[in-house]
């Protein structure tokens, strides 16, 4: 090995250590230096491609992936990473070919079977996707990613028994076990025991599954406390079955609970089936003083239907680009329905669109919304809420308010099940309007406009 090759190799291994330490910027510099010295170092091309993809430089990443595979055509992991990038770009046919190439090289690679399953599920080839997940689990029964991916498929089909069990393979974003001295609940008797329901996922997830607090009390729990997003704390204070509500921005009190659990684990331990979903509505309520406050701000009724709108969700959601509307202007067809007063429930950067969309005049309430207790009080002034798949939809449902939800065609969330226009989680109050073609909301919004006209007449 000559001096240049030796130095390039040292730079490469230094970059690997930097990646492991989380210093991706310096790692990229080291990899580029290595490639200047050794342009045919396949490993450096592959790692640089991964970093570039991570930093949203897909074109350059693709060039380095392809070069890495030219140099090392039997490196299955590089095919796997490249396929994942192509899948993320919805280049499904290319991604499938790449994954199958990886499996031709390494047929016992569980990650490749699982990734291929994800791709096939995105293409609505669910039976093939399930076979891939089960093949991955046959090779590696403890491969949690495949089990989690299978859960998504099963739950969307309403196969709850196995679906909840597989969902337990998920990796929580916050590890409570490190902060608590009590064990995680595994279904033990709760008679006279205390329980902490921990923080998990987004606001909508917490709103949907906080209903199980009452069931824990029915099973004998002496105390049920909830750790949640700060914006949910005052709303949950009136939740049936809940005692103390703790915000994630607070230090955990020195309370020695008997057990802790995660909200999305509760359906599993309660053996929830389609027919036994705890769906008594409402299970949340708005604070009377805030209802009075917003009633005064919104003003007396003028004979028009009041409709609240939320057209975007949390941008950090992995499917946000598909579940959100491109802009408020997409809802302009609703403006042709007479005698309707629209109100913006939108928070975040998209809230500014409320003042910039003349095709759909609406009253913007965002400036006065401090938390979900305010949103709940506003929702209680509405006759109807129309929203994309976001926390506002779950809130309206939990409050027992009529809510219409726009569901994307691409990767619809499992909780809305498949091909249904109602939700068993929010019976009698929720209606689902499904996108017919991925990326095109035209038909779904036209359906909403026609339904709104009928609703207004009623």
């Amino acid at each position: 090995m000559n001096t240049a090759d030796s130095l390039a190799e040292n730079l490469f291994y230094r970059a690997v250590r930097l990646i492991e330490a989380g210093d991706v910027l310096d790692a990229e510099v080291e990899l580029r230096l290595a490639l200047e010295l050794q342009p045919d170092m396949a490993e450096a091309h592959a790692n640089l491609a991964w970093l570039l993809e991570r930093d949203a430089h897909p074109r350059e990443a693709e060039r380095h992936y392809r070069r890495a595979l030219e140099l090392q055509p039997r490196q299955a992991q590089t095919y796997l990473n490249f396929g994942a990038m192509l899948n993320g770009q919805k280049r499904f046919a290319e991604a499938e070919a790449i994954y199958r190439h990886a499996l031709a090289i390494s047929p016992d690679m569980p990650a490749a079977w699982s990734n291929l399953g994800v791709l096939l599920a995105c293409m609505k080839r669910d039976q093939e996707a399930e076979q891939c997940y089960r093949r991955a689990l046959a090779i590696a029964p403890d491969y949690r990613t495949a089990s989690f991916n299978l859960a998504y498929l099963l739950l969307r089909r309403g196969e709850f028994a196995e679906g909840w069990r597989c969902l337990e393979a998920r990796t929580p974003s916050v590890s409570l076990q490190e902060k608590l001295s009590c064990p995680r609940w595994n279904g033990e008797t709760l008679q006279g025991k205390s329980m902490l329901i921990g923080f998990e996922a987004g606001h909508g997830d917490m709103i949907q599954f906080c209903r199980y607090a009452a069931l824990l009390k029915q099973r004998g729990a002496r105390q049920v406390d909830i750790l949640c997003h700060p914006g949910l704390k005052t709303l949950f204070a009136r939740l049936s079955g809940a005692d103390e509500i703790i915000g994630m921005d607070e230090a955990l009190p020195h309370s020695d609970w008997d057990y802790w659990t995660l909200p999305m684990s509760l359906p599993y331990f309660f053996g929830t089936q389609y027919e036994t979903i705890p769906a008594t509505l409402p299970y949340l309520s708005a604070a009377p003083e805030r209802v009075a406050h917003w009633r005064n701000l919104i003003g007396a009724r003028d004979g028009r239907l009041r409709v609240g709108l939320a057209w975007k969700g949390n941008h950090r959601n992995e499917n946000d680009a598909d579940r959100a509307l491109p802009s408020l202007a997409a809802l302009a067809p609703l403006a042709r329905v007479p005698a309707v007063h629209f109100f913006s429930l939108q928070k975040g950067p998209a809230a500014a669109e409320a003042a910039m969309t003349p095709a759909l005049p609406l009253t913007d309430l965002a400036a006065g919304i401090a938390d979900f207790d305010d949103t709940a009080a506003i929702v209680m002034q509405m006759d109807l809420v129309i929203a994309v798949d976001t926390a506002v939809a779950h809130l309206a449902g939990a409050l027992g308010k009529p809510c219409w939800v726009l569901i994307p065609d691409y990767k619809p969330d499992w909780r809305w099940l498949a091909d249904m226009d109602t939700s068993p989680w929010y019976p009698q109050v929720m209606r689902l309007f499904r996108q017919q073609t991925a990326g095109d909301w035209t038909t779904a919004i036209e359906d909403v406009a026609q339904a709104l006209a009928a609703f207004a007449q009623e």
Side-chain angles (χ1 to χ4, degrees):
M1 182 182 294
N2 60 39
T3 303
D5 289 345
S6 177
L7 182 55
E9 186 173 291
N10 289 336
L11 288 166
F12 171 78
Y13 285 114
R14 191 186 306 169
V16 170
R17 290 191 293 272
L18 288 167
I19 291 172
E20 291 172 349
D23 188 354
V24 294
L25 294 178
D26 286 341
E28 181 180 336
V29 172
E30 300 291 275
L31 288 170
R32 290 188 185 279
L33 289 173
L35 287 171
E36 286 182 11
L37 294 168
Q38 176 61 277
D40 292 339
M41 183 183 285
E43 300 91 339
H45 282 288
N47 282 15
L48 181 57
W50 183 82
L51 290 178
L52 290 167
E53 176 194 349
R54 182 181 179 278
D55 290 338
H57 298 290
R59 288 188 179 180
E60 190 178 3
E62 180 172 347
R63 180 166 59 82
H64 284 284
Y65 273 133
R66 293 193 183 280
R67 182 57 180 153
L69 291 171
E70 286 176 5
L71 295 165
Q72 282 188 348
R74 296 193 59 79
Q75 181 52 259
Q77 185 62 50
T78 305
Y79 282 103
L80 198 63
N81 294 345
F82 186 26
M85 188 185 83
L86 293 173
N87 188 17
Q89 297 174 354
K90 299 180 183 176
R91 295 161 63 179
F92 299 136
E94 295 172 81
E96 182 176 357
I98 289 290
Y99 283 147
R100 294 197 183 280
H101 202 129
L103 286 166
I105 296 167
S106 184
D108 291 331
M109 188 178 190
W113 284 110
S114 182
N115 279 24
L116 178 58
V118 170
L119 169 67
L120 294 169
C122 289
M123 299 168 70
K124 299 183 180 180
R125 292 159 60 182
D126 285 4
Q127 288 188 339
E128 295 173 77
E130 181 178 353
Q131 291 171 1
C132 288
Y133 297 145
R134 295 195 185 280
R135 178 70 177 273
L137 290 168
I139 297 167
D142 294 331
Y143 187 48
R144 300 170 70 89
T145 300
S147 185
F148 174 77
N149 290 336
L150 177 58
Y152 187 100
L153 204 65
L154 295 170
L155 292 172
R156 191 171 63 186
R157 295 200 308 233
E159 297 176 23
F160 285 167
E162 186 182 9
W164 297 130
R165 178 175 59 77
C166 289
L167 190 64
E168 289 301 286
R170 70 195 183 282
T171 302
S173 57
V174 176
S175 176
L176 287 177
Q177 193 64 75
E178 299 173 0
K179 302 178 181 180
L180 300 172
S181 58
C182 60
R184 186 170 178 177
W185 187 51
N186 286 307
E188 297 91 343
T189 179
L190 290 176
Q191 194 65 44
K193 303 295 185 180
S194 59
M195 171 76 79
L196 175 69
I197 300 176
F199 163 93
E200 183 172 26
H203 293 86
D205 302 282
M206 293 297 294
I207 291 171
Q208 181 179 3
F209 294 103
C210 71
R211 67 183 78 197
Y212 280 87
L215 274 68
L216 290 168
K217 280 289 181 70
Q218 291 173 18
R219 192 169 279 196
R222 169 179 53 83
Q223 180 168 339
V224 176
D225 299 336
I226 300 180
L227 180 67
C228 66
H229 306 73
L232 293 172
K233 183 178 177 180
T234 59
L235 175 69
F236 282 3
R238 295 174 301 281
L239 173 66
S240 175
D243 294 295
E244 184 177 1
I245 309 299
I246 308 158
M248 279 291 294
D249 56 345
E250 304 174 72
L252 278 174
H254 297 289
S255 178
D256 190 15
W257 293 281
D258 292 299
Y259 299 106
W260 69 273
T261 189
L262 291 171
M264 292 173 70
S265 291
L266 291 169
Y268 170 62
F269 288 113
F270 279 93
T272 300
Q273 295 292 331
Y274 183 94
E275 300 80 8
T276 61
I277 291 173
T280 301
L281 304 177
Y283 59 86
L284 289 177
S285 62
E289 65 276 10
R290 298 216 199 186
V291 171
H293 168 76
W294 283 103
R295 183 186 298 119
N296 290 333
L297 283 180
I298 292 173
R301 286 186 171 273
D302 56 7
R304 291 182 292 173
L305 194 71
R306 290 178 171 180
V307 178
L309 301 177
W311 55 95
K312 287 188 183 292
N314 188 333
H315 69 278
R316 290 188 291 271
N317 182 283
E318 65 172 352
N319 202 38
D320 191 60
D322 288 278
R323 69 172 185 164
L325 298 181
S327 70
L328 172 60
L331 292 173
L334 306 188
R336 70 169 185 260
V337 180
V340 179
H341 187 171
F342 295 102
F343 294 84
S344 171
L345 307 179
Q346 187 67 50
K347 289 287 289 181
E353 297 177 33
M356 302 184 297
T357 310
L360 184 64
L362 78 171
T363 300
D364 184 10
L365 304 175
I369 301 176
D371 57 20
F372 275 86
D373 224 354
D374 278 316
T375 306
I378 295 170
V379 168
M380 294 308 295
Q381 316 295 319
M382 300 294 112
D383 299 300
L384 172 68
V385 171
I386 299 174
V388 295
D389 176 9
T390 187
V392 170
H394 289 283
L395 177 62
L399 292 167
K401 273 287 181 177
C403 180
W404 297 351
V405 188
L406 290 157
I407 306 297
D409 178 71
Y410 179 69
K411 292 174 69 173
D413 196 273
W414 62 262
R415 72 200 70 210
W416 307 121
L417 301 174
D419 304 321
M420 291 187 64
D421 59 8
T422 58
S423 169
W425 294 94
Y426 306 103
Q428 309 302 319
V429 300
M430 189 166 282
R431 186 173 173 184
L432 310 179
F433 291 80
R434 296 182 181 272
Q435 195 179 56
Q436 299 302 307
T437 304
D440 183 5
W441 288 105
T442 307
T443 302
I445 292 172
E446 183 60 34
D447 290 343
V448 171
Q450 292 180 18
L452 182 60
F455 188 79
Q457 287 182 344
E458 294 174 5

